[in-house]
Amino acid sequence: VFAFRFPALSSPFITNLDWPNYWWAILSGLFSALFIAAAVPAAERITQITSPIGLMELLNPSHPLMERLRAETPGTYHHSQNIASLGESAARAVGADPLLTKVGGYYHDIGKMVRPDFFIENQSRGANPHDDLTPSMSKIVLTSHIKQGLNLGKRYGLREDVLNFIPSHHGTSLIKYFYLRALREGREEVDFPESDFRYEGELPGTKETSIIALADPVEAASHTLDDPGQELEEMVEEQVDSKISDGQLDRSPLTLDDIAAIKGAFVETLRAMDQRRVEHYPEEQDEEREIERMGEE
């Protein structure tokens, strides 16, 4: 048994303390902690830059926006999870902020909560409301999730550095499917300028927003591959190069070396996501063979 004796109140250790200053030091420490806790949100509002603590809070599954995204648009939530993973790994590869990029991946599509059924990841099989709309109306519905996302983000107190991911993840890219559908369905005398079927967003101007803008089409295209193991690198190359050739990275600070590193990070992350379970474990196969053998006997 260990014994410990506190010094008596009359000991020199106690009596020689400058008690007023001692208590002031304790109170000053508590006051400083409270001041910082109160000052951080104020500083975020002034600078519109989210602190690391604030970013961690946004990643909390119990955050009101995350709870709504998970409950109201489960397909979009899963898509956003994948985008966040792709973005985080790519940000680490090029020296960008992985935490901010991950948060941007989670929140870039929050506007889809307004009309979730109009986005393919939230649709049940055989039910597509776009079948009853003209291509032009479909374009209006799809592009509206940008403005609606900004409104939702501001309502829930997101700062500008996080809000920037919403208008920049599509930039001014072409909604190709409905543009081609409009050309097919339109009469010969009707002209459909390509500009009518482009998003009216902003080109990404940071490494972090550029990464999410690249991750978005890559993640979507990854679900169309018949054999991801064979076609993955080619798909990533095609999607990233398409963004570049369309001028969507004209304001981005990413270099050619950065682009190459991002492509590699995307491929590695998608391969990790595609880990499939084997159909039968060896033990199960052995048991099945034994049962078949006994049946034959």
Side-chain angles (χ1 to χ4, degrees):
V1 179
F2 295 96
F4 180 80
R5 294 182 61 190
F6 288 95
L9 292 177
S10 60
S11 68
F13 176 78
I14 300 294
T15 56
N16 291 338
L17 282 176
D18 188 353
W19 283 104
N21 289 333
Y22 183 77
W23 287 113
W24 274 117
I26 294 175
L27 292 174
S28 296
L30 293 173
F31 176 77
S32 298
L34 293 173
F35 176 78
I36 292 173
V40 167
E44 288 184 356
R45 282 194 296 271
I46 294 171
T47 64
Q48 288 298 308
I49 297 175
T50 313
S51 67
I53 296 174
L55 292 174
M56 291 301 298
E57 290 176 353
L58 291 174
L59 290 178
N60 191 330
S62 64
H63 188 280
L65 263 178
M66 283 294 95
E67 287 187 338
R68 283 193 58 186
L69 189 67
R70 185 169 58 251
E72 299 174 23
T73 56
T76 298
Y77 179 75
H78 179 67
H79 163 74
S80 299
Q81 279 186 312
N82 291 343
I83 294 294
S85 297
L86 287 168
E88 182 181 21
S89 63
R92 294 186 187 280
V94 299
D97 186 337
L99 184 57
L100 175 60
T101 309
K102 185 175 184 178
V103 170
Y106 268 105
Y107 287 84
H108 77 287
D109 262 345
I110 55 175
K112 291 182 178 180
M113 288 190 288
V114 177
R115 295 188 180 96
D117 294 340
F118 284 87
F119 299 91
I120 190 168
E121 67 267 24
N122 301 309
Q123 295 171 359
S124 59
R125 292 183 178 179
N128 190 340
H130 288 286
D131 293 340
D132 301 322
L133 300 178
T134 64
S136 297
M137 185 58 66
S138 291
K139 176 259 183 184
I140 292 173
V141 173
L142 291 181
T143 57
S144 66
H145 85 278
I146 302 299
K147 183 178 180 180
Q148 290 157 351
L150 288 170
N151 291 337
L152 267 174
K154 290 175 182 176
R155 192 188 313 165
Y156 281 83
L158 299 185
R159 311 303 181 202
E160 290 293 336
D161 58 346
V162 176
L163 289 173
N164 287 339
F165 288 91
I166 297 174
S168 64
H169 76 275
H170 284 305
T172 59
S173 57
L174 178 68
I175 308 175
K176 194 171 184 179
Y177 175 82
F178 289 106
Y179 172 62
L180 295 177
R181 181 176 157 187
L183 292 178
R184 287 195 301 268
E185 295 180 1
R187 291 174 294 182
E188 291 183 2
E189 65 271 19
V190 178
D191 182 29
F192 290 98
E194 188 178 283
S195 58
D196 286 354
F197 285 84
R198 285 186 174 271
Y199 282 94
E200 298 176 1
E202 302 172 0
L203 297 183
T206 66
K207 285 188 175 183
E208 292 79 11
T209 54
S210 301
I211 289 169
I212 296 302
L214 295 175
D216 191 63
V218 166
E219 198 279 336
S222 69
H223 298 287
T224 66
L225 300 181
D226 295 325
D227 184 2
Q230 298 294 326
E231 305 170 9
L232 201 56
E233 292 185 16
E234 182 179 345
M235 180 275 292
V236 170
E237 287 276 348
E238 180 182 344
Q239 293 299 323
V240 172
D241 291 347
S242 177
K243 278 280 188 180
I244 296 173
S245 63
D246 193 36
Q248 297 304 307
L249 296 186
D250 284 358
R251 298 179 185 173
S252 172
L254 294 175
T255 65
L256 292 177
D257 287 341
D258 290 337
I259 296 294
I262 288 170
K263 289 177 179 178
F266 283 170
V267 170
E268 291 180 7
T269 305
L270 288 171
R271 281 178 176 160
M273 292 178 180
D274 192 53
Q275 295 297 327
R276 294 183 173 88
R277 292 173 62 90
V278 295
E279 293 183 3
H280 298 288
Y281 289 101
E283 294 79 8
E284 293 175 341
Q285 293 175 342
D286 294 341
E287 290 176 1
E288 289 175 359
R289 294 193 190 98
E290 183 64 18
I291 291 172
E292 290 176 1
R293 185 184 64 79
M294 293 175 64
E296 292 173 356
E297 292 178 353

